[in-house]
Amino acid sequence: MINNESDRIQAALGYLNQKRYDLAIEEFRKVLEINPDHEFVRYSLIQVLIQQKKYDLAKKEAQRLLETNPLSIAAYQELGNIYFEEGDGFQAIAQFQKVLELYTQEEHSKQKALIGCIFEAYLNLGRACLLTKNYNFAIENFKKAMKL
């Protein structure tokens, strides 16, 4: 019987490898009952829910992540991806702009490791702009990505 947080996380990751997504979700939720502020687990749960196209549940989990960490770039990124998949370009744009805002803050902009993440954020913002037929803004963001 699994009793501790670490074992539950390992079990959830094992279920993911086996593509047993419902069991992975169940284990992640059990960890969050014990430790609701566990960012890795909440983010992992969001990703599984998105993969399963359970967008409403994924959005709720992303909002919970933002309640514990309002500067969570990952939460805004995943919200942007969800809205993009749902075809809501305007909401996707808002989320991807927040990602870029957080990445370009002084403490983040000094880290060269984030360049790939910033590149991806500009690309995602450009893609969302295409959904809203804002072609000039899309091109502007694609160009910013290419300059990195």
Side-chain angles (χ1 to χ4, degrees):
M1 177 165 192
I2 301 173
N3 289 324
N4 68 49
E5 185 177 303
S6 179
D7 289 343
R8 288 205 179 277
I9 293 169
Q10 290 304 313
L13 296 174
Y15 289 137
L16 285 178
N17 274 342
Q18 299 168 11
K19 298 183 182 348
R20 298 172 72 186
Y21 301 114
D22 288 338
L23 291 173
I25 289 169
E26 183 179 320
E27 289 300 327
F28 285 139
R29 289 198 186 283
K30 287 178 182 176
V31 172
L32 292 170
E33 286 174 13
I34 300 165
N35 182 357
D37 296 338
H38 199 300
E39 286 191 41
F40 169 77
V41 170
R42 188 150 326 263
Y43 179 68
S44 298
L45 177 58
I46 293 165
Q47 289 183 312
V48 177
L49 292 169
I50 290 171
Q51 186 175 13
Q52 296 299 295
K53 299 188 184 320
K54 297 178 180 181
Y55 298 131
D56 287 339
L57 293 173
K59 282 190 268 191
K60 286 178 185 174
E61 293 300 332
Q63 291 300 333
R64 288 185 183 119
L65 180 53
L66 288 171
E67 288 170 11
T68 58
N69 180 2
L71 300 177
S72 173
I73 291 171
Y76 289 110
Q77 181 70 37
E78 295 305 336
L79 281 170
N81 289 332
I82 293 165
Y83 287 121
F84 182 84
E85 289 299 321
E86 290 180 329
D88 189 342
F90 294 106
Q91 281 294 331
I93 288 169
Q95 303 308 312
F96 293 138
Q97 284 178 323
K98 185 67 176 177
V99 168
L100 285 168
E101 175 187 319
L102 291 171
Y103 272 137
T104 55
Q105 287 178 356
E106 178 104 14
E107 65 271 9
H108 291 300
S109 64
K110 294 179 182 175
Q111 299 177 25
K112 289 186 180 184
L114 292 177
I115 290 175
C117 297
I118 295 169
F119 175 82
E120 181 182 354
Y122 277 124
L123 284 180
N124 285 335
L125 183 54
R127 289 175 40 226
C129 290
L130 291 176
L131 270 181
T132 63
K133 299 186 183 340
N134 189 340
Y135 301 116
N136 289 335
F137 196 41
I139 290 169
E140 178 183 325
N141 284 287
F142 291 143
K143 285 181 179 178
K144 286 179 181 177
M146 298 308 293
K147 287 182 183 177
L148 294 175

